[in-house]
Amino acid sequence: MSDINELFENYSDNVNEFLLPRLKSIFDDLDDITCEASLYSVMAGGKRIRPCLMLCVAKMLGLIRADIVDFAVALEMIHTYSLIHDDLPAMDNDDLRRGKPTCHKVYGEGIALLAGDNLLNRSSEILFDICLKNPKSLRSASFMMHNAGIYGMIGGQSIDLISENKQITLDKLYELQDKKTGALLRTAVVLPYHYAVDNELIEKNDEVERLLNDLSYHLGLSFQIKDDILDVESDAEALGKSVGKDERDSKSTFVTLLGLEQAKQKLNEEILACCEAVCGLSALGYNVDDLNMIVRFLLIREN
């Protein structure tokens, strides 16, 4: 367990080494309350799961950090904007995020809304800059924004909102979580492959793409099922965010639909599917040591 923690911390430290100065430079040059609020949320901490995964897959495919770093920055900005908006009273109405008061509790709802908008807009500018410098990056940039939009994260949030105080079907819950949670994880895992192929750094391989898509799908579901379980079994101090929200908001989750024990069984099935995808990549000759350790870290996490 300590080895897993150490590896993930090394990746997180590496990500923060380039991510935080880059993000700070984007917003710190403007004397504006919205930039201050954006920076507050970005710098609030967090595991940096998505950029860590992106760097890890890129390394596995033989890319260097410079190939993918700006994509990782844009992805973390999109993720942070989604958290700011998700915490607003009109959405999940949460007071705690990453162990600190949520953006709207510190800056007010209006500024928090603008801070999220600011992060999303600036991430788009970064992607445009990437494509201007290297037009072969266009598919990767489009892939990220597609997964952040109505066919991905926003679409999942939309289903989530209209499903409050209702019991939805298990199939609809799968769709909700594959979009809301899975879409940005899919971006992290699959985008480096698109970039590498389009820039002729590796040859196109349908099996590699399939395995990466399988990994991201099952990792997204595992992550969400684990979150649903932790919302019942953990506490706010351990998680760094409020617990019991699902019951409070009468939301359908894997725990409420399946029961706690069946949810844990389903989690084990999804973990096995993740491991099978990683083993498949290993069988194709890729060094999956880091990827395997990070996936294991995410699947056995307690917060």
Side-chain angles (χ1 to χ4, degrees):
M1 177 64 178
S2 60
D3 290 339
I4 298 173
N5 276 315
E6 184 179 352
L7 179 78
F8 192 82
E9 286 171 6
N10 285 341
Y11 264 92
S12 297
D13 289 344
N14 188 257
V15 166
N16 282 329
E17 182 183 318
F18 67 80
L19 184 75
L20 298 184
R22 179 85 165 88
L23 291 167
K24 202 169 188 304
S25 69
I26 290 170
F27 299 116
D28 215 23
D29 59 339
L30 288 174
D31 183 17
D32 184 278
I33 189 65
T34 293
C35 289
E36 182 184 320
S38 300
L39 201 56
Y40 169 82
S41 292
V42 169
M43 305 291 278
K47 299 184 183 69
R48 312 297 184 196
I49 289 168
R50 289 145 194 85
C52 282
L53 269 172
M54 185 175 280
L55 282 186
C56 186
V57 173
K59 178 182 176 182
M60 184 193 77
L61 295 174
L63 305 179
I64 60 174
R65 194 177 80 175
D67 291 326
I68 217 76
V69 58
D70 285 336
F71 286 109
V73 170
L75 182 58
E76 185 66 8
M77 291 169 72
I78 291 171
H79 175 58
T80 303
Y81 117 75
S82 75
L83 298 182
I84 294 173
H85 283 190
D86 196 42
D87 290 334
L88 287 168
M91 304 281 265
D92 275 2
N93 192 21
D94 216 332
D95 296 344
L96 193 65
R97 173 69 66 177
R98 292 172 171 171
K100 297 181 179 180
T102 48
C103 190
H104 72 272
K105 296 303 290 186
V106 176
Y107 292 95
E109 293 178 34
I111 293 298
L113 184 63
L114 290 177
D117 293 344
N118 186 33
L119 285 164
L120 177 59
N121 194 78
R122 292 297 284 128
S123 69
S124 300
E125 292 180 51
I126 290 173
L127 294 176
F128 278 125
D129 286 342
I130 292 172
C131 294
L132 285 171
K133 294 172 185 174
N134 178 9
K136 290 182 179 180
S137 300
L138 186 59
R139 177 165 68 136
S140 298
S142 176
F143 181 70
M144 182 179 293
M145 297 312 291
H146 177 84
N147 283 320
I150 195 65
Y151 295 102
M153 182 184 68
I154 290 175
Q157 185 66 44
S158 178
I159 297 172
D160 196 22
L161 278 176
I162 65 169
S163 300
E164 287 186 6
N165 302 307
K166 298 177 185 176
Q167 180 167 316
I168 61 176
T169 66
L170 192 58
D171 285 344
K172 180 58 73 171
L173 182 62
Y174 276 119
E175 179 189 354
L176 188 166
Q177 303 302 356
D178 182 46
K179 290 178 175 179
K180 183 178 179 181
T181 303
L184 292 193
L185 289 173
R186 183 158 53 249
T187 303
V189 173
V190 181
L191 185 147
Y193 170 81
H194 290 324
Y195 178 91
V197 169
D198 292 345
N199 284 275
E200 301 175 350
L201 300 173
I202 63 172
E203 292 186 4
K204 189 178 189 308
N205 187 317
D206 291 341
E207 181 65 3
V208 173
E209 185 173 9
R210 182 189 71 78
L211 287 168
L212 289 173
N213 273 300
D214 282 354
L215 173 60
S216 66
Y217 174 77
H218 293 294
L219 186 59
L221 281 176
S222 301
F223 198 85
Q224 187 57 53
I225 296 170
K226 184 73 172 180
D227 261 6
D228 291 350
I229 293 170
L230 289 173
D231 190 66
V232 174
E233 293 190 334
S234 190
D235 56 65
E237 183 177 355
L239 288 182
K241 61 182 180 180
S242 302
V243 296
K245 295 187 302 177
D246 298 330
E247 183 178 1
R248 180 197 72 187
D249 297 334
S250 301
K251 285 189 176 182
S252 291
T253 70
F254 287 99
V255 171
T256 62
L257 291 188
L258 297 176
L260 185 59
E261 291 308 311
Q262 284 192 38
K264 289 181 177 180
Q265 181 180 337
K266 183 61 184 171
L267 174 61
N268 289 333
E269 292 172 5
E270 294 300 328
I271 288 173
L272 179 61
C274 289
C275 294
E276 288 175 350
V278 173
C279 288
L281 291 166
S282 178
L284 292 176
Y286 289 100
N287 183 340
V288 299
D289 290 348
D290 285 2
L291 181 62
N292 187 49
M293 292 279 272
I294 287 180
V295 167
R296 286 173 62 201
F297 174 90
L298 296 177
L299 296 178
I300 65 175
R301 67 196 167 90
E302 295 302 326
N303 55 41

